[in-house]
Amino acid sequence: QQQVKQSPQSLIVQKGGISIINCAYENTAFDYFPWYQQFPGKGPALLIAIRPDVSEKKEGRFTISFNKSAKQFSLHIMDSQPGDSATYFCAATLKTRFGAGTRLTVK
Amino acid sequence: KAGVTQTPRYLIKTRGQQVTLSCSPISGHRSVSWYQQTPGQGLQFLFEYFSETQRNKGNFPGRFSGRQFSNSRSEMNVSTLELGDSALYLCASTQLAGARTDTQYFGPGTRLTVL
């Protein structure tokens, strides 16, 4: 069932460091790859998204790197802050498929 | 604009009972999708409704059903509850159907506990 594999399951990063979360997908028909951020007690919220015709997209401290041939994409959070502590989900559409989530803690 | 609202926020049921969850999308959004969130499994897609019609369905048993009303509000029903149905149930709305590139806006979820 899980068509999008996400790692690591949890991540602890020092304040100011770089957080990296990886996802791999199987279905080459997927054509849109969003990342969601979820704080406790809240639903997920769209953070940043990429389409497979570009290899990188940057918005502020958040960057998606996309490797179409390897069917992998990753989220990089630069200068990680305590306020970034949340659970992050990668996703892929058609019929939206989500990764299992990564709990990020920034100390 | 008010966000996606879900009621109730918390529910406790026993095995064998049934439950109905409600979702009101953002005003003007016509598509509502439902997801089950459990630790370690992430979000599992249940189904999507658009204009009162089910457009897509995930890989869940028939005990899980839903419907959408003419005002785009949606309900999800789970019959004959099992312990494994304990989860956070999220609904998300989008303006258009398919939710491919249109941003999904999630509600806070309904936390269902089955005893």
Side-chain angles (χ1 to χ4, degrees):
Chain A
Q1 165 100 7
Q2 197 79 40
Q3 294 186 23
V4 181
K5 294 184 179 179
Q6 184 173 344
S7 63
Q9 193 172 27
S10 64
L11 180 63
I12 299 175
V13 174
Q14 293 296 317
K15 180 182 174 182
I18 302 174
S19 304
I20 302 175
I21 305 171
N22 301 299
C23 282
Y25 63 97
E26 300 168 1
N27 190 337
T28 55
F30 291 149
D31 60 354
Y32 180 65
F33 301 89
W35 283 90
Y36 288 84
Q37 180 188 54
Q38 184 179 27
F39 292 104
K42 304 282 188 181
L46 179 68
L47 185 62
I48 186 173
I50 197 169
R51 302 194 67 141
D53 53 348
V54 297
S55 60
E56 186 175 282
K57 182 174 181 180
K58 185 176 181 179
E59 289 184 2
R61 296 184 295 108
F62 300 91
T63 300
I64 299 179
S65 296
F66 188 85
N67 186 329
K68 190 174 181 179
S69 61
K71 293 187 284 185
Q72 294 174 347
F73 57 111
S74 59
L75 175 70
H76 295 233
I77 305 174
M78 312 300 288
D79 187 27
S80 298
Q81 299 297 311
D84 298 331
S85 298
T87 299
Y88 292 81
F89 293 94
C90 61
T93 53
L94 307 160
K95 289 186 186 181
T96 302
R97 295 288 182 260
F98 282 81
T102 296
R103 180 169 290 184
L104 171 65
T105 303
V106 181
K107 293 188 171 181
Chain B
K1 219 181 226 186
V4 177
T5 58
Q6 291 187 245
T7 57
R9 291 293 311 276
Y10 302 91
L11 263 179
I12 300 176
K13 293 285 187 179
T14 56
R15 279 185 300 173
Q17 287 187 307
Q18 75 160 17
V19 66
T20 299
L21 313 181
S22 180
C23 171
S24 292
I26 291 173
S27 177
H29 286 194
R30 297 170 63 190
S31 172
V32 173
S33 298
W34 287 90
Y35 296 85
Q36 181 193 66
Q37 183 176 14
T38 55
Q41 289 292 313
L43 286 85
Q44 303 288 325
F45 173 75
L46 281 154
F47 27 65
E48 178 193 9
Y49 286 88
F50 180 80
S51 292
E52 302 177 65
T53 301
Q54 186 180 90
R55 285 182 49 91
N56 292 307
K57 189 177 189 304
N59 194 23
F60 278 81
R63 299 184 297 107
F64 292 81
S65 63
R67 60 177 174 168
Q68 187 180 34
F69 303 94
S70 58
N71 61 358
S72 295
R73 190 177 70 86
S74 177
E75 286 183 349
M76 190 192 99
N77 185 276
V78 187
S79 62
T80 318
L81 283 167
E82 300 177 0
L83 294 178
D85 297 333
S86 294
L88 181 67
Y89 290 89
L90 293 158
C91 93
S93 75
T94 60
Q95 278 192 308
L96 306 172
R100 289 180 65 163
T101 59
D102 199 14
T103 299
Q104 292 193 95
Y105 294 87
F106 283 85
T110 294
R111 172 75 62 186
L112 172 64
T113 302
V114 182
L115 302 176

